[in-house]
Amino acid sequence: QQQVKQSPQSLIVQKGGISIINCAYENTAFDYFPWYQQFPGKGPALLIAIRPDVSEKKEGRFTISFNKSAKQFSLHIMDSQPGDSATYFCAARIQGAQKLVFGQGTRLTINP
Amino acid sequence: NAGVTQTPKFQVLKTGQSMTLQCAQDMNHEYMSWYRQDPGMGLRLIHYSVGAGITDQGEVPNGYNVSRSTTEDFPLRLLSAAPSQTSVYFCASRSSRLGSSYEQYFGPGTRLTVT
């Protein structure tokens, strides 16, 4: 099973709050889990990524939490800002393969 | 460094027409791919290439053809456009060299409408 299921489809958070987006997968052969950020009219851009040998990775206000046993990973955006309003995609790569499998996307809106 | 470029930015086609979406990258990346983005469906892989002369199908290849004659270019051809191909198309590339990151670089997209 090469799917990655992402939720919620849309999310509204107040400025300063914590935004949380979740992804789940079935294939235990996935070995790389990136998150991409996409602003309207632009292509997606890599935000942060994690490998399954660590449980958490933090870069500034963005944190990936990874639960290998539950086959879930999530993106946390601390102190969310209006400039974080974008669509976020989780993705996964099968070990040894070139291609990425993407989640359905989450449209995040941060209200000022 | 222009990164990944795509032309055109917008296109309207009539059902049955053909066209080619252009994609070029100047980062000497071996791997290139085409995705389509539809609401609620995420990014779905159409075709990909691991190097010049080598292409393979993704999860939604029907109705699309690709070729890779050079490292830089990876055009996507619609032979007979259908309304179901109305979408935003993204080209992406990344390095396959040992030790390189897995980061994919995306182009700005082509918004295609088929009437």
Side-chain angles (χ1 to χ4, degrees):
Chain A
Q1 186 64 283
Q2 294 195 26
Q3 283 185 333
V4 178
K5 295 184 178 179
Q6 183 172 346
S7 62
Q9 195 168 359
S10 64
L11 180 63
I12 300 174
V13 174
Q14 292 300 117
K15 179 183 175 183
I18 301 173
S19 304
I20 302 173
I21 304 170
N22 300 299
C23 284
Y25 64 96
E26 289 294 324
N27 194 334
T28 56
F30 287 144
D31 71 342
Y32 170 72
F33 300 88
W35 285 89
Y36 280 78
Q37 181 187 52
Q38 182 186 29
F39 293 107
K42 305 290 185 183
L46 180 66
L47 181 64
I48 186 172
I50 197 168
R51 291 184 184 272
D53 52 348
V54 298
S55 60
E56 186 176 279
K57 183 173 181 180
K58 185 174 181 178
E59 290 184 2
R61 295 184 295 108
F62 300 91
T63 300
I64 300 179
S65 296
F66 188 83
N67 186 330
K68 191 173 182 177
S69 60
K71 289 187 253 179
Q72 294 175 348
F73 58 110
S74 59
L75 176 69
H76 296 237
I77 306 174
M78 311 300 287
D79 186 27
S80 299
Q81 299 297 311
D84 297 329
S85 297
T87 298
Y88 292 81
F89 293 98
C90 63
R93 189 196 81 125
I94 293 177
Q95 187 176 14
Q98 298 279 1
K99 49 190 178 179
L100 289 175
V101 178
F102 283 86
Q104 294 81 0
T106 296
R107 188 169 189 168
L108 174 65
T109 302
I110 308 299
N111 284 337
Chain B
N1 239 0
V4 180
T5 58
Q6 292 182 238
T7 56
K9 288 187 74 71
F10 302 95
Q11 183 70 48
V12 178
L13 288 179
K14 288 184 165 37
T15 297
Q17 286 185 319
S18 63
M19 79 159 296
T20 300
L21 279 62
Q22 301 292 344
C23 174
Q25 52 91 10
D26 61 359
M27 297 173 281
N28 204 28
H29 286 167
E30 299 82 5
Y31 179 79
M32 297 185 73
S33 54
W34 277 101
Y35 294 87
R36 59 178 289 173
Q37 181 177 9
D38 302 291
M41 305 289 285
L43 292 157
R44 293 183 292 169
L45 183 65
I46 304 172
H47 284 285
Y48 65 99
S49 169
V50 299
I54 306 169
T55 64
D56 205 349
Q57 296 180 349
E59 57 181 302
V60 288
N62 291 341
Y64 308 95
N65 277 355
V66 292
S67 59
R68 183 99 179 267
S69 56
T70 67
T71 299
E72 294 78 20
D73 301 296
F74 190 43
L76 178 72
R77 280 182 288 276
L78 284 71
L79 298 178
S80 179
S84 61
Q85 294 179 304
T86 293
S87 187
V88 182
Y89 291 85
F90 288 100
C91 179
S93 75
R94 75 165 185 85
S95 174
S96 302
R97 295 186 195 95
L98 196 64
S100 62
S101 85
Y102 297 136
E103 178 176 0
Q104 285 203 97
Y105 295 83
F106 284 82
T110 295
R111 184 174 293 274
L112 176 68
T113 301
V114 183
T115 61

